[in-house]
Amino acid sequence: MTEHPGFATRAIHAGQAPDPTTGAVIPPIVASSTFAQDGVGGLRHGYEYSRSGNPTRTALEECLAALEGGTRGFAFASGLAAEDTLIRSIAKPGSHIVLPHDAYGGSFRLFDRAYAPWGLRTDPVDLTDLAAVEAAIQPGETLAVWVETPTNPLMSVADISAIADLAHSLGALAIVDNTFASPYLQQPLELGADVVVHSTTKYCGGHSDVVGGAVVVADPELAEKVQFHQNALGAVAGPFDAWLVLRGLKTLAVRMERHSDNAEAVADFLLGHRAVSDVFYPGLDDHPQHDVAKRQMRRYGGMVSFGVGAGEQAAVDLCGRTEVFTLAESLGGVESLIEHPGRMTHASVAGTALEVPGDLVRLSVGLEDAEDLLADLDQALR
Ligand SMILES: Cc1ncc(COP(=O)(O)O)c(C=O)c1O
């Protein structure tokens, strides 16, 4: 490989040299829970038990680290398992974490309902308001600022380098949930963040056929802590799941280009539609953080949300009328999905500061022909 291989080259080759035994070009799915030892402690390639390490998972972890530009990557059974392992690696009772006020509902629930009883303290703030972020950081107490950008489902964009600088100046880490952008569109570690987390269920996997998560860290000392907790807590990616995500990553660059092409076409179409009140897409010139998005993202990805002028019931009804867009939760797959966040993905945050507008519809714009997607939305909106 060249000294500085490009993104697509790393996605296809990093951690994936041909199998030394058979020459298999694709890393095998090593479906073994345990590994033979040559005498007690005589491990052949460092593997002893698949919770601690598995060759298929290693291939994925090396590829993820190469794509995010980190020192180590770790693969988990889900995005939330990745977040949980990371937080338990660094936090203790009393730790304080600043959260985005529009974080993914499941992340918010993890902090608000699972950790709060263990003494973890959080403050949800608007991450687009740097003064508010600064005010929320308690020097010496705040462990981290949790950044999600673009956010799910309102597509707000946080300035990663500004927040990382602020967090560091006040003794806190910057952790970025890079699920919506994917490493192809956004490189948080290069922008100064310390840790990246992913729901690899989404764009990394890319085919809606696997649930997984990842953590990638810059600092080798932090990597040691995460590695210890990955094994101690045990929420690892199984070999078949790791293999599916690895296969997905190979086409990430071309998929994200096409997701972005199609989402741009959809956002433009919605913008001109009289039944639509607002369109939330960071690629639009009038998106409030378009300039930040332009600086830190290669393109703007496949997620588009919009408000339906006629209100909540009209938004719910619309979600039942599309034919190419499938009504389903999740995102990031090759097929287009539509959902009503208020009653589906974000129902768990109803009644909290994170409640989403009732008239909001979220689209995960897939890789179908753009004309078919526009025609489907047009008939559903009519
Ligand atoms: C931005 C974001 N982060 C984390 C998660 C959690 O990932 P998982 O569902 O794989 O546990 C999701 C899931 O939708 C998400 O959208």
Side-chain angles (χ1 to χ4, degrees), residues 19 27-35 47 50 54-57 238-240 243:
D19 181 56
I29 300 169
V30 181
S32 189
S33 58
T34 190
F35 297 84
Y47 295 105
S50 273
N54 170 281
T56 317
R57 198 174 88 221
F240 187 53
W243 188 88

Side-chain angles (χ1 to χ4, degrees), residues 85-169:
T85 303
L86 171 67
I87 292 302
R88 290 206 259 172
S89 304
I90 57 178
K92 52 183 190 304
S95 294
H96 177 251
I97 297 187
V98 175
L99 291 179
H101 74 161
D102 52 353
Y104 164 62
S107 303
F108 183 75
R109 182 179 55 199
L110 180 66
F111 285 97
D112 191 49
R113 306 264 300 275
Y115 295 148
W118 292 83
L120 207 76
R121 296 174 301 124
T122 52
D123 272 318
V125 301
D126 177 358
L127 293 191
T128 65
D129 177 353
L130 288 174
V133 178
E134 184 166 8
I137 298 176
Q138 303 166 11
E141 303 247 338
T142 300
L143 176 71
V145 180
W146 187 275
V147 181
E148 191 185 309
T149 183
T151 55
N152 179 2
L154 285 168
M155 307 303 297
S156 71
V157 173
D159 185 332
I160 296 174
S161 43
I163 292 176
D165 285 349
L166 196 55
H168 294 159
S169 72

Side-chain angles (χ1 to χ4, degrees), residues 78-80 83 104 107 148 152 177 179-180 199 201-202 211-212 331:
S78 70
L80 287 179
E83 295 181 15
Y104 164 62
S107 303
E148 191 185 309
N152 179 2
D177 182 336
T179 298
F180 264 39
S199 167
T201 314
K202 312 292 161 32
V211 172
L331 59 113

Side-chain angles (χ1 to χ4, degrees), residues 20-97:
T21 315
T22 61
V25 167
I26 298 301
I29 300 169
V30 181
S32 189
S33 58
T34 190
F35 297 84
Q37 304 192 10
D38 296 318
V40 174
L43 308 183
R44 294 187 188 172
H45 298 282
Y47 295 105
E48 57 180 344
Y49 183 60
S50 273
R51 169 165 39 72
S52 319
N54 170 281
T56 317
R57 198 174 88 221
T58 303
L60 170 61
E61 291 177 335
E62 287 181 5
C63 187
L64 286 164
L67 294 184
E68 288 287 3
T71 53
R72 292 282 300 276
F74 301 92
F76 295 92
S78 70
L80 287 179
E83 295 181 15
D84 182 38
T85 303
L86 171 67
I87 292 302
R88 290 206 259 172
S89 304
I90 57 178
K92 52 183 190 304
S95 294
H96 177 251
I97 297 187

